[in-house]
Amino acid sequence: MLKNRSVIDSMDLSVEEIDELFTLADDIKSRPNLYVNACEGKLMGTLFYEPSTRTRLSFASAMNRLGGRVVGFSDPSSSSVTKGESVADTARMVSAYCDIIVMRHPYEGAPRVASLYSEIPVINAGDGGHNHPTQTLTDLYTIHSVFGRTSHLKIAVCGDLKYGRTVHSLIKAMSRYEGTEFFLISPEELRIPYYLRQFMEEHNVKFTEVDTIEAVIAQADVLYMTRIQRERFFDDSEYERLKDVYVLDNEKMKAAKEDMIVMHPLPRVNEIDREVDYDPRARYFKQARYGMFIRMALILKLLEVGYQENHTRLTPTKYHCKNTRCITHFEKEPQQMLDMGGHHYKCLYCDYTVRIDE
Ligand code: CP
């Protein structure tokens, strides 16, 4: 049952629950009139502490198409954040007004904090360079719609794999499907974080790290392009050096399979040449539209009825998260480092993993 749960990580939804969302999204797409009043009387709070076009507007469109209403902010400078209000207190307040919260935040783990204080479901709409679970639902729904399955696929993921939250959530979610294989295309500086490498090893997922698109494009069923994200770099000269390292164009597409698809969470900058937009294998704009239908399905499932009663809290440990982008460095949240065994401790909020030898 998805009713009243928060969705913070792509692993918060089981494979069966994701299948149910696909079925519901298909029905919404083919019979939209049946759903126009489904959320009548319900209110969504959209709290966007970071810019967004697709995620914010697709959630707002989804709620409006279901007959619900939307309040919120897209510019935190117009909210009491500027007076120093914490994420925890903001979540408490908005849960007193609304029925569901959608939150995007630059700090990793902020939506997790909100979910611990909110009395209504919280959906993570992207937390820093960490996770973006509803983009992953969009991606999975697109893949399912094109191939009729989400298993036995070779996925090439290209670009900023270090800070790319859509990539992190996608890798976790796809790792549960049989026969998934990843080709991870990035410069050395933007390789996936350690915890995801560990995750794939634990789940026996085959992955290969390469430097170029050309090395793997002929084998891929899906080429998932991502933007090099200026906003995540500490050093702008480093961004300038890496920003155009990958550009997909028609020449490179010649080596791809006839039924391969190109995806991108968008926005794009230069990493897909505009000429590729006219190739029938380019699916990124359709992918963005699928995002609205799968978000409609998610809202319907989470809003069925009732309120969250319990919040799981863990006992704080003596260790502190060392990720300087973690929300726990900005708010007075108790540090919660989970003991993963073998002297490894993982932050509950941002997944940053450290080895601590006592
Ligand atoms: N894919 C995505 O998250 O786009 P926005 O940043 O525009 O929401």
Side-chain angles (χ1 to χ4, degrees), residues 51-56 104 132 135 165-166 265-267:
S52 167
T53 297
R54 274 145 295 274
T55 312
R56 189 171 67 81
R104 171 170 289 188
H132 194 347
Q135 179 63 48
R165 58 193 175 199
T166 66
L266 304 176

Side-chain angles (χ1 to χ4, degrees), residues 204-240:
N204 297 315
V205 176
K206 202 170 161 194
F207 66 96
T208 314
E209 295 183 286
V210 295
D211 298 326
T212 65
I213 295 176
E214 290 88 331
V216 292
I217 191 168
Q219 299 171 63
D221 298 304
V222 175
L223 174 57
Y224 192 95
M225 297 295 295
T226 63
R227 173 175 68 96
I228 308 290
Q229 303 175 88
R230 176 173 228 143
E231 66 274 26
R232 307 279 175 234
F233 280 76
F234 288 117
D235 177 355
D236 208 49
S237 64
E238 185 75 346
Y239 167 76
E240 288 295 332

Side-chain angles (χ1 to χ4, degrees), residues 181-195:
E181 182 175 345
F182 289 111
F183 302 117
L184 305 174
I185 311 164
S186 75
E188 191 64 39
E189 299 85 339
L190 297 177
R191 297 273 194 242
I192 53 160
Y194 172 72
Y195 79 89

Side-chain angles (χ1 to χ4, degrees), residues 259-286:
D259 62 350
M260 185 273 274
I261 61 168
V262 182
M263 297 174 64
H264 193 310
L266 304 176
R268 75 165 149 193
V269 187
N270 294 325
E271 61 280 2
I272 301 180
D273 193 294
R274 272 57 178 169
E275 66 187 14
V276 179
D277 296 357
Y278 304 99
D279 188 309
R281 294 170 290 183
R283 296 297 176 118
Y284 27 93
F285 294 119
K286 272 198 179 140

Side-chain angles (χ1 to χ4, degrees), residues 337-351:
M337 299 293 282
L338 313 180
D339 187 346
M340 307 302 286
H343 301 289
H344 282 93
Y345 290 83
K346 183 161 85 170
C347 175
L348 169 74
Y349 303 95
C350 74
D351 286 319

Side-chain angles (χ1 to χ4, degrees), residues 168-184:
H168 303 163
S169 291
L170 182 67
I171 287 177
K172 277 175 147 180
M174 282 300 300
S175 293
R176 296 185 295 190
Y177 295 106
E178 207 182 327
T180 297
E181 182 175 345
F182 289 111
F183 302 117
L184 305 174

